[in-house]
Amino acid sequence: MITLRTAREVDAFLVTPLGRETEPIIRPHLERLADYEFEDIAAIAVGKSGETPAALGLDPDLYEYREEHTGWTEEVFIVSDDGFGWIVLIRS
């Protein structure tokens, strides 16, 4: 699983082939979080088919939001009272 914890890591990822493929899913999150320091509010994980959020220590059944996209499942997990969350994309 690829994990992106800083704005610099996200920017570098988005110019890769996998980053360009997932950008339509990731970009709206980045726009919503633009007023914050990315590493203070979120992290992103991109996984292969068969990987689960459990690899990050997350309970796969406790997502706040889930959406199916062509080829991807997107789940958002809020993990702390200050609103920090994981954006998890798993290839379908």
Side-chain angles (χ1 to χ4, degrees):
M1 188 166 294
I2 298 168
T3 58
L4 310 168
R5 297 176 183 268
T6 67
R8 175 177 271 160
E9 291 173 347
V10 173
D11 290 342
F13 174 75
L14 290 176
V15 298
T16 68
L18 185 57
R20 287 190 298 274
E21 180 181 342
T22 57
E23 184 174 10
I25 304 168
I26 294 172
R27 183 64 56 197
H29 291 290
L30 299 178
E31 291 169 1
R32 276 191 296 280
L33 301 173
D35 292 338
Y36 303 93
E37 292 295 323
F38 182 80
E39 49 271 9
D40 291 341
I41 195 72
I44 298 172
V46 181
K48 300 174 192 167
S49 182
E51 290 186 300
T52 71
L56 302 166
L58 301 170
D59 183 330
D61 297 323
L62 294 181
Y63 54 85
E64 300 289 326
Y65 171 82
R66 179 183 178 148
E67 186 171 343
E68 297 292 329
H69 301 270
T70 303
W72 294 93
T73 299
E74 168 192 13
E75 295 177 338
V76 175
F77 296 82
I78 305 303
V79 297
S80 68
D81 291 338
D82 65 359
F84 184 88
W86 278 94
I87 302 159
V88 181
L89 306 179
I90 303 293
R91 190 177 292 282
S92 303

